Amino acid sequence: GENVEQHPSTLSVQEGDSAVIKCTYSDSASNYFPWYKQELGKGPQLIIDIRSNVGEKKDQRIAVTLNKTAKHFSLHITETQPEDSAVYFCAARGNDMRFGAGTRLTVKP
Amino acid sequence: KAGVTQTPRYLIKTRGQQVTLSCSPISGHRSVSWYQQTPGQGLQFLFEYFSETQRNKGNFPGRFSGRQFSNSRSEMNVSTLELGDSALYLCASSREGGSRNEQFFGPGTRLTVL
């Protein structure tokens, strides 16, 4: 099966700074890599995803990069805002979806 | 377009009981997946249904089961509840399922087993 490791487990940044979360996966059959944001009391919300034929994707302040050779992918949030504070999960999909353990991001105003 | 809905939102049961959770996917979505989320184990895949057939199953005991109806709504059942089954149960829907379709999550059902 697929194992997804995510780092760091907690991340605290000052408003306006950038935040980077990294994930590695083990199953070379994985070809879809979504990122989710989960706020307290809610289900995970898809914020960006990337497919294996693409190296980088950007959506406003959020970007994701994928290195298939090294089997790692990263989430980059620029110009962070307090409302970005949440738990972020990476995932990798092969036969099923496997999630990282999550990163609790705190953006201090 | 309405999102994924799950009922009930909260549930309290005692050990040994059984429970049924319901999920209504986004209109037009035919795939429904279920996940268990706990602080210790994180998000773990339970099973995936597509067109009323179980397409994939995670590593959970047979006490966990599910089904999907012709309108794509899905239910999951847990029998002989154990304390360790206390968790947030999340349902996610996608248009076709498989490895290239975005999944959208519902708010979850918080199950507490006493």
Side-chain angles (χ1 to χ4, degrees), chain B residues 33-48:
Chain B
S33 296
W34 288 89
Y35 298 86
Q36 182 195 65
Q37 186 175 31
T38 59
Q41 300 296 320
L43 271 158
Q44 292 188 286
F45 171 72
L46 281 156
F47 25 66
E48 178 186 12

Side-chain angles (χ1 to χ4, degrees), chain A residues 31-32 36 38 41-46 49 51-53 89 93-101, chain B residues 9 33 35 37 43 45 48 55-57 88 90 97-108:
Chain A
N31 56 13
Y32 174 61
Y36 290 89
Q38 188 173 25
K42 297 183 180 180
Q45 176 192 4
L46 179 69
D49 56 15
R51 304 182 193 281
S52 58
N53 58 342
F89 293 94
R93 172 108 194 196
N95 289 327
D96 57 43
M97 192 82 83
R98 299 296 175 110
F99 287 81
Chain B
R9 290 294 312 276
S33 296
Y35 298 86
Q37 186 175 31
L43 271 158
F45 171 72
E48 178 186 12
R55 185 151 65 179
N56 218 340
K57 190 176 190 304
L88 181 68
L90 291 159
S99 62
R100 288 180 170 267
N101 280 255
E102 299 93 338
Q103 279 191 343
F104 298 89
F105 282 85

Side-chain angles (χ1 to χ4, degrees), chain A residues 4-52:
Chain A
V4 178
E5 296 200 2
Q6 183 172 345
H7 299 279
S9 56
T10 60
L11 180 58
S12 181
V13 300
Q14 207 65 41
E15 183 178 359
D17 287 351
S18 295
V20 180
I21 303 170
K22 299 183 179 183
C23 289
T24 60
Y25 62 98
S26 58
D27 186 353
S28 53
S30 297
N31 56 13
Y32 174 61
F33 307 90
W35 286 87
Y36 290 89
K37 174 184 181 183
Q38 188 173 25
E39 296 173 306
L40 199 62
K42 297 183 180 180
Q45 176 192 4
L46 179 69
I47 56 171
I48 195 168
D49 56 15
I50 192 166
R51 304 182 193 281
S52 58

Side-chain angles (χ1 to χ4, degrees), chain B residues 8-95:
Chain B
R9 290 294 312 276
Y10 302 91
L11 206 48
I12 299 175
K13 292 284 187 179
T14 55
R15 278 180 297 174
Q17 286 187 309
Q18 74 153 19
V19 67
T20 299
L21 312 181
S22 181
C23 171
S24 292
I26 292 171
S27 177
H29 285 195
R30 295 163 62 194
S31 172
V32 172
S33 296
W34 288 89
Y35 298 86
Q36 182 195 65
Q37 186 175 31
T38 59
Q41 300 296 320
L43 271 158
Q44 292 188 286
F45 171 72
L46 281 156
F47 25 66
E48 178 186 12
Y49 286 88
F50 179 76
S51 291
E52 302 178 67
T53 301
Q54 186 180 88
R55 185 151 65 179
N56 218 340
K57 190 176 190 304
N59 190 25
F60 277 80
R63 299 186 297 108
F64 292 80
S65 63
R67 59 178 175 167
Q68 187 180 33
F69 302 95
S70 58
N71 62 358
S72 295
R73 191 177 69 85
S74 177
E75 288 181 348
M76 68 162 280
N77 185 76
V78 188
S79 61
T80 319
L81 284 166
E82 301 176 359
L83 294 180
D85 296 334
S86 294
L88 181 68
Y89 289 88
L90 291 159
C91 160
S93 78
S94 63
R95 192 166 293 281

